Amino acid sequence: MRGPSPSKDVRLPPLAAIQAFEAAARLGSFERASEELFVTASAIGKRIASLETLLDVTLFIRSSRGATLSAAGREYLEQVRTALDLLSDASLHKRNEPKLETLRVVSTPTFARQVLIPALPGFTAANPGVELEIMLSIPYLDIMPPNADVWIRFGSGKYPGLHAHPLTHDPVFAVCAPSYQAARGPFKRPADLARADLLRCPMEPWRPWLAAAGLDWPEPSRGVWLVDLGMMLAAARAGQGVALTRRSLAAEWLDEGKLVRVLDVEIPGESQYYLCTEATRTPGGAAQAFSLWLAEVCKRAAQWPCGPQAGQE
């Protein structure tokens, strides 16, 4: 079989022409090939003729009794069969590849930013077959994207229609930036907070903490009011006042010294983070793996060092 001239433009033969040639050679006639490929015998002949023109070689010897493979045709048939087998194996391999399991996770913004996202590479590395979709909810406005597999919620843990698994058991304490403590402190006694700006968030009221500190003060009614725990924590980090927070959310900034604890007072958090799934549906394998992994992440976050107190600097 003659190969193409080095100066000749080499083009890939059309797959339809190759299939027509292989079928005619295997079945012994253009008519049988046409029946297998659901085209006319004339179409089979035209496809093979175009292939011969492209290859510049005679593949079939035609006579009144039909068409038989030429020597070059027999050689080309072996090459074609090898190529078609490789294509078939590649397609079968693609079909047999495990499909990714999509896991849709809805999280509160603060938890996603402070806890979930920093730890996420560990989950994706351990679960390459899971494709995560992470969406945000707005707890204060009770805005929740629908059709999720897993919800990370902040509250009491009592959610109708959902099974809630506790992720945190965080105590709540006060923090501020070192620069704010230097400017407004020292905060050695609870009464010293009279000089402080108490940052307010409806998700973390001050009154229980003030009572635990022995201060018969009402809930603060003035000062910056933020509807998100993360925004309140960021405001404290920026030196705008004292905020209430918890270990799982503030550990990194405490460890880095960007926040310091104010006083040795902490209270049990009335609200905690929960991982929720539909009570009427058994969680899939991806949801179960995610639940176990996230519980371990939260456990480690709660054990991180929490930095020096403001009064100990």
Side-chain angles (χ1 to χ4, degrees):
M1 181 177 173
R2 295 193 305 272
S5 170
S7 62
K8 192 169 185 177
D9 180 27
V10 179
R11 292 177 295 160
L12 184 68
L15 182 59
I18 293 176
Q19 289 176 314
F21 166 72
E22 189 278 333
R26 174 169 41 84
L27 298 173
S29 74
F30 289 7
E31 288 75 14
R32 291 179 182 176
S34 70
E35 293 173 1
E36 180 176 287
L37 298 178
F38 301 100
V39 296
T40 64
S42 175
I44 293 292
K46 290 179 180 178
R47 292 178 183 180
I48 292 174
S50 68
L51 183 61
E52 289 176 320
T53 300
L54 179 64
L55 297 174
D56 192 20
V57 70
T58 299
L59 299 174
F60 282 93
I61 299 173
R62 296 162 178 82
S63 68
S64 59
R65 290 177 293 181
T68 58
L69 280 172
S70 66
R74 287 192 295 272
E75 181 183 345
Y76 189 60
L77 178 61
E78 293 301 317
Q79 298 173 5
V80 164
R81 284 176 173 169
T82 299
L84 291 176
D85 286 344
L86 289 173
L87 287 172
S88 177
D89 290 344
S91 300
L92 182 62
H93 175 71
K94 189 67 176 179
R95 289 197 301 271
N96 290 339
E97 284 183 352
K99 293 183 178 179
L100 293 177
E101 183 178 357
T102 300
L103 182 66
R104 302 189 72 195
V105 178
V106 173
S107 174
T108 63
T110 302
F111 188 91
R113 183 170 53 250
Q114 303 295 120
V115 181
L116 177 58
I117 300 303
L120 205 54
F123 178 80
T124 55
N127 298 271
V130 178
E131 187 171 60
L132 282 174
E133 294 182 6
I134 299 177
M135 299 161 287
L136 297 180
S137 62
I138 305 178
Y140 179 67
L141 301 178
D142 200 25
I143 296 176
M144 190 77 57
N147 304 322
D149 299 301
V150 172
W151 292 264
I152 299 168
R153 304 192 63 166
F154 181 75
S156 66
K158 298 178 181 179
Y159 307 110
L162 295 178
H163 173 73
H165 175 77
L167 290 173
T168 62
H169 301 86
D170 282 339
V172 175
F173 50 87
V175 296
C176 71
S179 59
Y180 188 85
Q181 191 271 338
R184 295 292 188 93
F187 303 121
K188 295 183 177 180
R189 299 174 302 164
D192 293 338
L193 289 179
R195 300 191 299 269
D197 301 295
L198 303 184
L199 300 171
R200 301 181 296 149
C201 177
M203 313 299 294
E204 203 79 270
W206 273 98
R207 187 71 191 91
W209 187 92
L210 293 172
L215 298 173
D216 188 19
W217 296 357
E219 187 70 25
S221 58
R222 300 184 62 183
V224 178
W225 189 81
L226 306 125
V227 298
D228 177 77
L229 292 174
M231 289 194 295
M232 181 173 65
L233 196 60
R237 160 77 174 79
Q240 296 176 15
V242 178
L244 291 178
T245 190
R246 45 194 66 215
R247 289 186 174 93
S248 58
L249 302 183
E252 182 178 359
W253 285 347
L254 286 164
D255 291 346
E256 294 174 350
K258 296 174 181 178
L259 288 174
V260 292
R261 288 190 59 168
V262 175
L263 301 173
D264 188 22
V265 177
E266 59 181 37
I267 61 172
E270 294 182 2
S271 295
Q272 296 292 341
Y273 285 100
Y274 293 85
L275 187 140
C276 303
T277 55
E278 290 186 18
T280 58
R281 185 176 66 174
T282 302
Q288 294 180 20
F290 183 81
S291 176
L292 293 173
W293 169 80
L294 189 57
E296 185 62 28
V297 168
C298 292
K299 181 180 178 180
R300 291 198 305 268
Q303 295 172 348
W304 288 350
C306 295
Q309 295 184 135
Q312 296 176 343
E313 289 195 320

